[in-house]
Amino acid sequence: LLAKNNRLGGPGSLPKGLGQAPLARSLRVLNLSGNRFAEVPPALLQLRGLRSLSLGGNRLHSIPPDIQELRSLDFLYLGGNFITSIPPELAKLPSLKYLVLCDNKIQSIPPQLSQLHSLRSLSLHNNLLTYLPREILNLVHLEELSLRGNPLVVRFVRDLTYNPPSLQELAGRTVKTRNVPYAPSDLPENLVRYLSLASNCPNPKCGGVYFDSCVRQIKFVDFCGKYRLPLMHYLCSPECSSPFSSASQSSTSQSESDSEDEASVAAHRMQKVLLG
Amino acid sequence: MEQPVQTETWKARSLEDLVRILHQIFAEDKVSVEEVQALMESYDSNPEEWLQYAKFDQYRYTRNLVDSGNGKFNLMILCWGEGHGSSIHDHTDSHCFMKILQGNLKETLFEWPEKKGNGEMAKKSERVLRENQCAYINDSIGLHRVENTSHTETAVSLHLYSPPFDTCNTFDQRTGHRHKVTMTFYSQFGERTVC
């Protein structure tokens, strides 16, 4: 269904009964670009068979976490909106190959986005990104990544602010690291969802997981041997950060080369990817 | 390229006609930039004539070879999906003509960075090229980035490069660092190229 360049956006833009209609299961392609949607219409999220969705050039300020309901989605175009952040639930789309988030107001990328195993192309240009999570290196099938027009930090910056983890975070870490068994029937749905969003601490000697609480260190990884990209190393606690993270000059270069070593394998994969 | 004594005013009545006249012009020793640009502009884009070359890729813009100009030039069609753009690049000492066949493309001109390249590259100017307009650039003019900034429409452009080249430099806007790349064709003469 192509309905681009109209004035859709008010309540009732999409028929209420859309989810119950036969169309809900059969519609594959929906293009609503160039309209006036200020939010993703909830009825749209019932189109279970949808493969391709474009809401480019609308007035969206956010992406609803329930976007994960569109299990068959492989193409999602959200460029040219007013989106400020990305819900980690977006990463739960198993078939997503092409994700366009260019020309928005996005300030950070959740590390969970690295769980988009099928992602081939990620468009992030013209946003408000100052750094990227290092997990972006885990997107092994990524062939295209656009980052231009972001205020990416060029010089080395170290920011060791740390917020202590919440009780929920600590409990979640224990469940995950001790492999405490649980089934969806044991816990409220929101906690099941929370536990599935655990990220692994990148320190190989730690093997721990974290949810929201982490130490941020912006380190640089050399891409293409030509210039540096700032990556955010999420480490689960200050003690976990590498022993080289003291403030002295010599350890700076050591921790830089350390990060280059551990990231160089993945970075090699990314060499052809950046579109400058 | 120099101005010949008599500059023809050509009118290309079809894509085939355009190619035929280009061959004629480039058979000469001297070719005028103005003449080629005027010829390219004179062709009124007719999708029926170029649809067979316009193969889009979901992830990035494509280069589709139309004619190899007896080695004197390459004529190709570029297909830009919504939001697709190029890196900042040079033209390896060749002439580059770019005509819009459908949609619009934004061209941003940049100054060449200093040899060492350690700062944000300087933007010279930008403009939006409309259907049937033809732009020209070469290395002495500067570098450029070409983008389809539309989130709702695709764009198609016709490019002529003389002499033909298959490598160029791409530049990082933030630092001016350059990186040599080899360009490939998504299709040639209407046939999808197998990688």
Side-chain angles (χ1 to χ4, degrees):
Chain A
L1 174 62
L2 303 177
K4 55 185 192 176
N5 294 324
N6 286 292
R7 291 185 202 171
L8 296 167
S13 289
L14 292 190
K16 241 192 271 186
L18 195 59
Q20 283 69 50
L23 200 60
R25 277 180 307 283
S26 59
L27 192 64
R28 295 278 175 263
V29 177
L30 180 59
N31 188 331
L32 292 168
S33 61
N35 280 293
R36 299 176 183 183
F37 288 101
E39 59 161 22
V40 179
L44 197 150
L45 300 173
Q46 294 168 34
L47 298 169
R48 296 302 161 106
L50 207 60
R51 299 243 172 95
S52 165
L53 174 61
S54 176
L55 281 162
N58 275 283
R59 302 174 184 180
L60 302 176
H61 285 265
S62 63
I63 305 170
D66 282 342
I67 192 91
Q68 64 178 306
E69 303 292 311
L70 297 175
R71 312 282 305 149
S72 309
L73 214 58
D74 69 43
F75 179 103
L76 180 58
Y77 193 108
L78 294 170
N81 280 287
F82 302 105
I83 297 167
T84 52
S85 69
I86 302 170
E89 287 81 357
L90 185 61
K92 302 245 129 207
L93 292 171
S95 321
L96 200 65
K97 291 221 208 82
Y98 187 57
L99 177 59
V100 180
L101 293 165
C102 64
D103 293 295
N104 276 292
K105 307 278 176 202
I106 299 168
Q107 293 175 23
S108 70
I109 306 293
Q112 291 88 349
L113 226 58
S114 62
Q115 290 166 29
L116 285 169
H117 298 298
S118 305
L119 206 64
R120 301 258 305 270
S121 177
L122 177 58
S123 161
L124 291 169
H125 59 272
N126 298 332
N127 274 291
L128 300 172
L129 298 171
T130 50
Y131 58 81
L132 296 176
R134 82 184 279 290
E135 286 81 355
I136 208 128
L137 296 174
N138 297 340
L139 291 168
V140 292
H141 295 295
L142 199 66
E143 290 171 14
E144 306 289 346
L145 171 64
S146 66
L147 291 169
R148 65 182 184 278
N150 278 289
L152 292 174
V153 176
V154 179
R155 283 191 315 280
F156 186 90
V157 169
R158 245 199 324 213
D159 168 17
L160 288 171
T161 56
Y162 177 59
N163 293 316
S166 65
L167 217 49
Q168 179 171 301
E169 164 107 24
L170 289 171
R173 289 189 190 184
T174 307
V175 167
K176 282 286 171 180
T177 52
R178 305 262 170 115
N179 284 317
V180 174
Y182 65 94
S185 51
D186 297 326
L187 296 168
E189 203 201 307
N190 65 314
L191 288 181
V192 176
R193 206 175 279 196
Y194 180 81
L195 286 170
S196 71
L197 294 173
S199 300
N200 291 314
C201 178
N203 183 344
K205 298 185 183 67
C206 169
V209 298
Y210 66 90
F211 293 83
D212 310 307
S213 176
C214 54
V215 174
R216 298 175 181 192
Q217 277 190 4
I218 298 184
K219 293 188 180 180
F220 291 88
V221 174
D222 231 319
F223 279 82
C224 312
K226 295 295 173 193
Y227 57 89
R228 292 166 171 256
L229 242 202
L231 291 186
M232 195 88 146
H233 282 253
Y234 285 82
L235 301 174
C236 49
S237 75
E239 295 78 63
C240 191
S241 58
S242 91
F244 313 109
S245 66
S246 58
S248 70
Q249 194 61 13
S250 55
S251 64
T252 301
S253 51
Q254 186 160 21
S255 63
E256 270 187 24
S257 59
D258 205 47
S259 76
E260 280 175 30
D261 279 345
E262 73 192 14
S264 64
V265 173
H268 254 92
R269 239 183 266 131
M270 295 282 272
Q271 270 181 27
K272 289 176 196 149
V273 168
L274 290 170
L275 292 174
Chain B
M1 287 185 179
E2 287 173 23
Q3 200 86 5
V5 172
Q6 194 171 32
T7 314
E8 308 267 3
T9 310
W10 301 102
K11 171 66 183 169
R13 290 155 305 184
S14 70
L15 183 60
E16 230 179 82
D17 202 32
L18 173 63
V19 172
R20 184 186 60 78
I21 300 172
L22 282 169
H23 275 259
Q24 206 178 316
I25 292 179
F26 279 90
E28 303 293 323
D29 290 330
K30 289 189 172 25
V31 183
S32 147
V33 167
E34 288 78 14
E35 195 177 356
V36 175
Q37 194 165 3
L39 168 65
M40 297 271 285
E41 275 211 16
S42 78
Y43 165 58
D44 278 327
S45 171
N46 180 354
E48 272 178 29
E49 291 164 4
W50 48 257
L51 225 44
Q52 57 173 307
Y53 304 108
K55 298 180 191 309
F56 283 81
D57 182 275
Q58 204 165 58
Y59 305 127
R60 55 166 302 155
Y61 72 92
T62 61
R63 306 169 79 243
N64 305 277
L65 185 66
V66 173
D67 192 271
S68 50
N70 281 332
K72 296 276 186 70
F73 64 84
N74 266 351
L75 188 69
M76 63 190 76
I77 281 180
L78 271 61
C79 296
W80 313 75
E82 295 89 328
H84 287 180
S86 76
S87 56
I88 301 173
H89 58 272
D90 62 10
H91 298 87
T92 321
D93 290 326
S94 289
H95 302 270
C96 160
F97 299 84
M98 172 170 71
K99 178 200 174 70
I100 313 297
L101 294 178
Q102 177 188 291
N104 300 295
L105 288 175
K106 177 165 117 173
E107 180 195 29
T108 310
L109 289 182
F110 290 87
E111 301 280 10
W112 279 87
E114 298 300 306
K115 223 19 178 166
K116 275 180 71 182
N118 253 322
E120 178 94 26
M121 284 174 69
K123 226 182 258 198
K124 267 171 63 163
S125 63
E126 66 179 47
R127 58 174 166 170
V128 175
L129 296 159
R130 312 274 171 205
E131 275 181 23
N132 284 315
Q133 270 187 286
C134 179
Y136 168 78
I137 193 170
N138 66 44
D139 283 351
S140 67
I141 292 174
L143 309 166
H144 70 180
R145 184 196 300 285
V146 181
E147 314 170 75
N148 176 13
T149 53
S150 173
H151 298 292
T152 56
E153 312 303 324
T154 59
V156 181
S157 53
L158 181 68
H159 296 235
L160 186 148
Y161 299 102
S162 178
F165 60 95
D166 58 11
T167 66
C168 71
N169 290 299
T170 64
F171 296 76
D172 177 13
Q173 190 171 345
R174 294 171 308 136
T175 59
H177 285 147
R178 73 191 69 182
H179 182 54
K180 188 173 171 188
V181 293
T182 305
M183 298 116 82
T184 57
F185 290 115
Y186 193 78
S187 75
Q188 299 191 44
F189 316 114
E191 300 283 328
R192 177 83 172 89
T193 315
V194 178
C195 305

